[in-house]
Amino acid sequence: MTYPHTIDNGHGETLTFLGIQDGRLRARSHVAPGAGPPMHVHHMQTESMTVDAGRVGVQIAGEPEFFRGPGETVTFAPGVEHRFWNAGEDELVMTGEVYPPHNLEYFLSQVFASTKAHGGRPGAFDGAFLMTRYRDEFTLTAIPVLVRRFVLPIQAFLGRLLRRYGHFEDAPAPVRRPSSATLPGRTTSARSSAG
């Protein structure tokens, strides 16, 4: 991959991958007012974001929302269910890193491309492929559990039967969690600090 590499979901979020340094994938995001990803979990990665401009809203599952401004950092440990959004009236700009990188760059690149192509949500077959193939790395917890466990695998199977996955031929192998890994819980935490 050549850096910098920018992806755009067509709905208020652009993300520029700046490169990998010391095992950390560095990125800069630009988020329009009100935009941001839904509740999700990175099962094996730490995610850290520093606000460069604007105001970010943050929600960790089961906790009250909180807000951070320029110079402040929010870090999510692996397994922490969270979301963030632009809580201001101007563009939100953040610089961050994820470590270890695993398949995050590929996963988000495909999600953003499918979201842009399908009017605001990933296409049904694309979403099923990505959410089942990389389920040990990422979970979009905004999707109900029964849909994740039963509907998405069936949909991914149908997508394979219908040969809808030619554009995923170069998809990297998923990273698997050790069998002793637990489901995401409340044992990990997020922290924030003024920068």
Side-chain angles (χ1 to χ4, degrees), residues 98-120:
V98 173
Y99 53 93
H102 293 320
N103 290 310
L104 183 68
E105 184 173 356
Y106 179 83
F107 180 81
L108 289 180
S109 294
Q110 297 304 318
V111 168
F112 272 45
S114 188
T115 298
K116 189 172 187 175
H118 292 94

Side-chain angles (χ1 to χ4, degrees), residues 44-111:
M44 298 183 280
Q45 298 165 310
T46 298
E47 178 183 23
S48 185
M49 311 176 296
T50 299
V51 178
D52 297 324
R55 184 172 188 244
V56 67
V58 179
Q59 183 178 15
I60 296 169
E63 298 182 14
E65 298 173 352
F66 61 93
F67 303 90
R68 296 292 181 259
E72 294 183 298
T73 298
V74 179
T75 299
F76 303 103
V80 173
E81 183 180 359
H82 66 281
R83 72 182 182 105
F84 61 87
W85 67 97
N86 181 341
E89 297 181 5
D90 300 314
E91 182 179 62
L92 170 65
V93 181
M94 296 187 295
T95 305
E97 60 185 19
V98 173
Y99 53 93
H102 293 320
N103 290 310
L104 183 68
E105 184 173 356
Y106 179 83
F107 180 81
L108 289 180
S109 294
Q110 297 304 318
V111 168

Side-chain angles (χ1 to χ4, degrees), residues 109-192:
S109 294
Q110 297 304 318
V111 168
F112 272 45
S114 188
T115 298
K116 189 172 187 175
H118 292 94
R121 316 174 97 167
F125 286 116
D126 291 349
F129 176 88
L130 294 166
M131 294 308 298
T132 55
R133 182 174 179 87
Y134 299 108
R135 67 184 168 271
D136 279 357
E137 297 179 61
F138 318 105
T139 299
L140 189 61
T141 54
I143 299 172
V145 173
L146 291 176
V147 173
R148 293 195 315 259
R149 289 190 181 166
F150 300 107
V151 176
L152 292 180
I154 292 169
Q155 209 164 341
F157 175 74
L158 290 174
R160 284 190 292 278
L161 282 180
L162 297 171
R163 300 175 188 241
R164 290 304 225 11
Y165 295 141
H167 58 294
F168 290 132
E169 285 181 8
D170 65 342
V175 177
R176 297 288 181 213
R177 281 184 282 173
S179 58
S180 62
T182 58
L183 293 174
R186 304 295 302 142
T187 58
T188 57
S189 63
R191 68 178 195 278
S192 65

